[in-house]
Amino acid sequence: MRRTALLAAVAALVAGALARPADAAPAAFAHPGVTVSKGQLDFARAKVNAGAQPWKGAYGQMMASRYADLNRTPKPRAVVECGSYSNPNHGCTDEREDAIAAYTQALAWYITRDERYAKKSIQLMDAWSAVITDHTNSNAPLQTGWAGSSWPKAAEIIKHTYTGGWANSGRFATMLRDVYLPEIINGSNSNGNWELSMMEAAVGISVFLEDRTSYDKAMAKFRTRTAAYVYLASDGDLPKTVPSQNLDTRDKVVRYWQGQSTFVTGLTQETCRDLTHTGYGISAISHIAETSRIQGQDLYGTDVGERLRQALGFQAKYELGTAVPNWLCGGSLHPGLGPVTEVGYNALHNRLGMSMTNTQALTERNRPVGSNNLFLAWETLTHGDNLS
């Protein structure tokens, strides 16, 4: 009887694992596990220590930045107020840049093993967790998403690799749970880069908190939004939509897609707005897919990976200078994609062997990439040709 019960239990566990969707939370979270893994950190550290390029140059770029300054003074505030385009800007830049600095200092700690950097990262995180209570005004969800994307990357490295102790890590977790997660977890019906950035933060925070429920909720929203952000010909005559937006006519869809009425594979919902905001969305897609990979799932092998590959290639083509045809955005594009290609290019081309000619050319032209000063930093260092 005991053997039969044991076999039944094993069969149930196997069936459960097989039934678990590719984007479901893992049974046990991997740490550090937000965008960058321990294996990737070890690879980058070894390359820097060996003086190998492009990692050595990327590391030098990072260490020369204001974010690696050991004299940096955090500027926390209780309420961060951010209006449209950060006007007013009451703590918006300070919060985002302190979060990037915490991540930068954590990376510096890992590569140098100089605990001054770990302590500075902790100081920055502790300063904000002691003070902040809310984000307000119209850009609050996006601001929370941007800062909330950087904080858990820093916290994951410090909590799970620094042995010197972090007395207030519990308070930091409470900050993420009570101040950040409620602002972002329910998503947004604004332009797609908003919800993608918000879900990036929600996924990262869920990993740090080991919150499987929030992870699953964020991933579900992410899958729906990604399908509605990047068009594939297989979607049909019109792009997919997010049901809550009620884009139930062609005219509504075209208006939401910045007036673009011809849909081709790789076009995004914001391509005709500008490539900068498009890059925000693409970056968030790649970061979530990378976190999911670290957590044992494979979103790169789903439509997410194909949409990411096509979006990168389409945007890279025009960022590299290809003439814009008249049918696309009225024949005019606003460039400025930003340092967003390393993670997706590494995963899809280097790991999976997919052809990405335009993305490769743009990635290699831009190396080493730094920070966009919003939520993204040092990805040549952490993900450049990194198969770990």
Side-chain angles (χ1 to χ4, degrees), residues 266 268 271 275 278 282 310-319 337:
T268 81
T271 299
L275 296 192
T278 298
I282 290 172
Q310 296 291 352
L312 282 167
F314 187 87
Q315 267 60 224
K317 175 182 177 180
Y318 296 106
E319 185 74 12
L337 189 62

Side-chain angles (χ1 to χ4, degrees), residues 334-353:
H334 301 286
L337 189 62
V340 304
T341 64
E342 287 279 17
V343 174
Y345 172 72
N346 184 57
L348 297 166
H349 177 75
N350 292 333
R351 283 201 196 102
L352 299 181

Side-chain angles (χ1 to χ4, degrees), residues 364-379:
E364 292 177 351
R365 186 186 79 174
N366 289 345
R367 282 179 171 170
V369 291
S371 175
N372 68 355
N373 304 314
L374 298 173
F375 60 87
L376 182 155
W378 323 124
E379 293 189 345

Side-chain angles (χ1 to χ4, degrees), residues 74-98:
K75 298 179 180 177
R77 64 172 65 209
V79 177
V80 175
E81 182 183 2
C82 306
S84 181
Y85 292 93
S86 292
N87 183 22
N89 181 340
H90 296 152
C92 316
T93 302
D94 293 337
E95 180 189 28
R96 293 193 306 263
E97 296 199 352
D98 276 350

Side-chain angles (χ1 to χ4, degrees), residues 164-186:
W166 179 13
N168 291 314
S169 63
R171 187 178 73 195
F172 185 82
T174 298
M175 176 191 80
L176 294 181
R177 183 182 297 109
D178 295 349
V179 178
Y180 287 79
L181 199 55
E183 185 71 44
I184 55 179
I185 192 63
N186 292 317

